[in-house]
Amino acid sequence: MIEARHLRVLRAVSTTGSFSAAARELGCTQPAVSQQMKALEASAGTTLLIRTGREMRLTQAGEVLVRHASGILAGLTAAEEEVAAIAGLRAGRVRLVSFPSGSSTLVPGALAALRAEHPGTRVSLVEAEPPRSVDLLREGDCDIALAFRYGATGGEWDDLVVRPLLTDRLIGLVPDGHRLAGAASVSIGELAEESWIAGCPRCRRQLVEVCEESGFTPRIDFATDDYPAVMGLVGAGLGVAVLPELAVESVRPKGARAVPVEPAIEREIVALTLPDLARVPAVAATLDQLARTAAR
């Protein structure tokens, strides 16, 4: 295999005309130049230089290698500079997938801070709920997935790097004129006879499980993944809902009153990535900023 360092020596010998002059240009010794040329000729399988008096002359094979060396070495230099820029966070790209309430609350502050600290790092954002967001990560279509889960699920993310961000409590939503609108807190059982408005599929399953643990099955009249739509339906008096606190923070409810639910129902918000990606500087910096934003 022909090595780049040997090509650099060959080019220096070709330019200067001797081993000793090439050694001075490269900042090494004449024997080192001689040894590297022998190694290059062994790799090439043919003679590359012929000594004529005090000067060295390239063979036809040597001329071919010198002709290609400039392009090869220039390409390597460009690659080294680009990799160094990425490693030093002067450049880089991160593909982020987030669920909607995370996109409107955690992501903006984290990305603004990342841009201020590392302006050369570019971050793209698309929205997807788990488990689809986690599938995108495993399929190589994103670098970080902002996700959530209700209670630890054994083995669910064992192949991933899990960066815990925060615990998000579920909040009850009732119309302004509802009998429980002024309550300091409500239990799920107190809403057993209500019409329900449910959110995303994973939140919907969690709602049904919590209600069934309290002894009833919720009558879900409306279901939508759009949190503003949930709040609008509650505000219009069409039912009650339970939403994550992040979702309530992201949209100011009109005509709806937020009421704490007891006992507390919580979901874990995390940032996920693959083990190899966690060592990429731009990905690591984005994870750090997401954690800092969540801690505020």
Side-chain angles (χ1 to χ4, degrees):
M1 181 180 292
I2 295 174
E3 298 184 29
R5 61 194 177 101
H6 295 156
L7 288 178
R8 289 190 176 95
V9 171
L10 175 63
R11 188 173 62 174
V13 172
S14 172
T15 301
T16 63
S18 71
F19 283 179
S20 56
R24 287 193 298 271
E25 181 177 297
L26 295 170
C28 60
T29 65
Q30 188 271 343
V33 170
S34 178
Q35 289 172 5
Q36 294 208 41
M37 285 307 309
K38 288 178 182 177
L40 179 56
E41 288 182 330
S43 297
T46 187
T47 301
L48 302 174
L49 291 166
I50 299 173
R51 183 181 295 276
T52 56
R54 293 183 179 181
E55 293 190 348
M56 308 298 297
R57 180 172 59 84
L58 292 170
T59 65
Q60 185 178 3
E63 291 174 350
V64 169
L65 270 182
V66 168
R67 187 170 70 248
H68 286 283
S70 295
I72 293 169
L73 294 173
L76 283 173
T77 299
E80 288 168 354
E81 290 177 354
E82 189 171 343
V83 169
I86 293 170
L89 286 174
R90 300 192 305 276
R93 180 194 67 174
V94 178
R95 299 167 298 166
L96 176 63
V97 174
S98 173
F99 54 94
S101 58
S103 298
S104 59
T105 54
L106 294 176
V107 170
L111 297 193
L114 182 69
R115 176 175 290 182
E117 190 170 342
H118 306 294
T121 300
R122 304 188 311 277
V123 181
S124 62
L125 172 67
V126 297
E127 288 189 342
E129 299 275 359
R132 179 56 188 152
S133 58
V134 183
D135 291 339
L136 290 172
L137 176 63
R138 290 192 174 110
E139 291 164 5
D141 292 324
C142 72
D143 303 308
I144 297 174
L146 207 62
F148 62 85
R149 61 183 172 187
Y150 293 95
T153 304
E156 183 182 16
W157 296 332
D158 284 354
D159 59 323
L160 304 175
V161 174
V162 181
R163 185 73 173 267
L165 298 180
L166 57 86
T167 299
D168 190 23
R169 180 170 177 166
L170 299 193
I171 301 294
L173 283 176
V174 298
D176 275 344
H178 192 274
R179 59 187 172 83
L180 297 173
S185 65
V186 299
S187 69
I188 289 291
E190 292 180 89
L191 302 172
E193 301 302 319
E194 302 287 343
S195 172
W196 284 86
I197 300 154
C200 73
R202 179 167 280 202
C203 297
R204 207 171 304 157
R205 288 196 300 272
Q206 178 67 12
L207 169 66
V208 172
E209 290 174 7
V210 169
C211 290
E212 288 180 346
E213 287 174 2
S214 296
F216 71 99
T217 299
R219 188 180 78 250
I220 299 174
D221 290 343
F222 303 96
T224 173
D225 293 348
D226 186 66
Y227 289 137
V230 172
M231 295 182 188
L233 291 166
V234 172
L238 296 173
V240 300
V242 172
L243 289 181
E245 192 169 9
L246 280 182
V248 177
E249 288 178 5
S250 66
V251 181
R252 185 171 298 176
K254 295 181 179 179
R257 187 73 61 88
V259 183
V261 174
E262 297 293 347
I265 305 168
E266 298 174 336
R267 64 176 184 173
E268 180 187 12
I269 308 297
V270 301
L272 304 171
T273 191
L274 297 171
D276 288 342
L277 285 172
R279 295 191 290 271
V280 175
V283 172
T286 304
L287 291 172
D288 288 343
Q289 291 294 356
L290 285 167
R292 291 189 192 107
T293 300
R296 290 172 188 158

